[in-house]
Amino acid sequence: QVQLVESGGGLVQPGGSLRLSCVASGSIFSIAAMAWYRQAPGKERELVAAMASGGGTHYADSMLDRTTISRDYATNTVYLQMFRLKPEDTAVYYCNANVRTYENRRMSREFWGQGTQVTVSS
């Protein structure tokens, strides 16, 4: 059993910054990758940023120069630092992780958090 809990969302003015956090807990043997997705009203869920266990990262083109993803391996936490936010960044942001549990070490399973709201508005 694995749980992902997001925090750090809220209301911010255009041009501002936010740092989102996601903590994974439970019977975790290893986490191959952690990622952030977002979904705005009327739009499909999209990948914002991802980071694999080897340190490789991927960013959406719209966030490439405005976002930094990082992981704290000791606490199973992933962060999403966002800069120069725009109204179009308004969405629910979801944490995602590919996890191998102690009970099933050979197979990775995907888990999702409940999401945290980010609203960019003046």
Side-chain angles (χ1 to χ4, degrees):
Q1 189 174 353
V2 176
Q3 299 83 38
L4 275 61
V5 179
E6 303 103 330
S7 62
L11 176 64
V12 64
Q13 291 188 334
S17 302
L18 280 177
R19 189 182 73 163
L20 307 182
S21 301
C22 172
V23 180
S25 62
S27 184
I28 299 171
F29 174 72
S30 65
I31 300 178
M34 300 188 78
W36 287 95
Y37 290 75
R38 69 184 181 188
Q39 187 167 21
K43 294 187 176 182
E44 298 293 325
R45 186 172 298 188
E46 64 176 351
L47 177 68
V48 178
M51 189 171 192
S53 60
T57 59
H58 174 80
Y59 297 95
D61 289 342
S62 63
M63 304 295 289
L64 185 61
D65 60 346
R66 301 189 294 119
T67 303
T68 300
I69 187 171
S70 60
R71 288 175 62 177
D72 185 334
Y73 293 89
T75 60
N76 290 323
T77 303
V78 63
Y79 302 95
L80 186 72
Q81 179 69 60
M82 297 185 287
F83 312 91
R84 290 175 277 113
L85 286 162
K86 305 174 181 179
E88 49 262 47
D89 295 320
T90 296
V92 177
Y93 285 70
Y94 296 92
C95 181
N96 172 273
N98 290 109
V99 180
R100 295 178 184 264
T101 66
Y102 283 105
E103 293 80 11
N104 297 281
R105 300 183 183 185
R106 293 186 178 91
M107 182 178 293
S108 296
R109 304 184 71 177
E110 192 172 67
F111 295 89
W112 291 89
Q114 293 300 307
T116 184
Q117 176 72 48
V118 173
T119 302
V120 185
S121 176
S122 59

